[in-house]
Amino acid sequence: MCDKIKAMFETYSQSSSIHKDPTLRSLNIKMGESILADKIIDILKELKYKEIRYNNIYNEIFTKKAGYEVTIHLLASSGGSTTIEVSVFAPEHRGKTRKALRFLLNRFKEEFKSYISHE
């Protein structure tokens, strides 16, 4: 019950590999960071995200759409795979960041389903 009340007032949500909700867990993809970043940028363009910026030094993608600010971190994992961690910030959309996060993670999961590794 407390989680539901907390979610109603959230302005920031983040994926995690140990999240209680399995739909909000980070994804491990069997692909290098730069190739994965290019594919994610293409997906974001399809979804009409604005101002997509990629920092290739830290492997981070920053973008925004309709008051939502999204940061995607690409972290090198074991065995040549990459972990996708997503965070969503939206001060005007209180209580809706989890839904936006869940949507993005689900879209990435669909796009990369043949490359997902279960570590």
Side-chain angles (χ1 to χ4, degrees):
M1 181 67 173
C2 208
D3 282 340
K4 287 185 180 183
I5 293 170
K6 183 176 139 185
M8 288 174 38
F9 297 102
E10 274 183 341
T11 59
Y12 178 81
S13 296
Q14 182 176 359
S15 66
S16 169
S17 59
I18 56 171
H19 205 288
K20 285 190 285 186
D21 183 347
T23 63
L24 298 177
R25 290 193 182 139
S26 303
L27 301 172
N28 289 318
I29 308 296
K30 296 177 202 166
M31 198 178 291
E33 293 106 336
S34 60
I35 295 169
L36 186 57
D38 291 338
K39 292 184 182 285
I40 288 173
I41 289 169
D42 290 340
I43 293 167
L44 294 172
K45 285 178 182 176
E46 269 180 42
L47 295 172
K48 310 254 189 280
Y49 273 83
K50 309 286 185 232
E51 300 177 37
I52 301 169
R53 291 178 292 151
Y54 175 54
N55 182 326
N56 61 350
I57 295 169
Y58 296 107
N59 290 317
E60 293 180 323
I61 301 169
F62 304 98
T63 188
K64 37 173 104 166
K65 177 182 177 182
Y68 292 92
E69 296 177 22
V70 177
T71 305
I72 301 168
H73 304 273
L74 303 175
L75 307 167
S77 288
S78 61
S81 64
T82 303
T83 301
I84 301 174
E85 290 186 350
V86 182
S87 51
V88 178
F89 175 68
E92 304 91 40
H93 300 288
R94 192 173 294 273
K96 298 190 178 172
T97 55
R98 280 191 195 192
K99 185 177 179 182
L101 174 61
R102 192 173 283 117
F103 172 79
L104 278 173
L105 287 170
N106 189 47
R107 180 64 189 264
F108 294 152
K109 196 179 280 190
E110 286 176 18
E111 291 289 327
F112 302 119
K113 64 183 162 195
S114 60
Y115 297 100
I116 293 177
S117 71
H118 303 282
E119 293 180 356

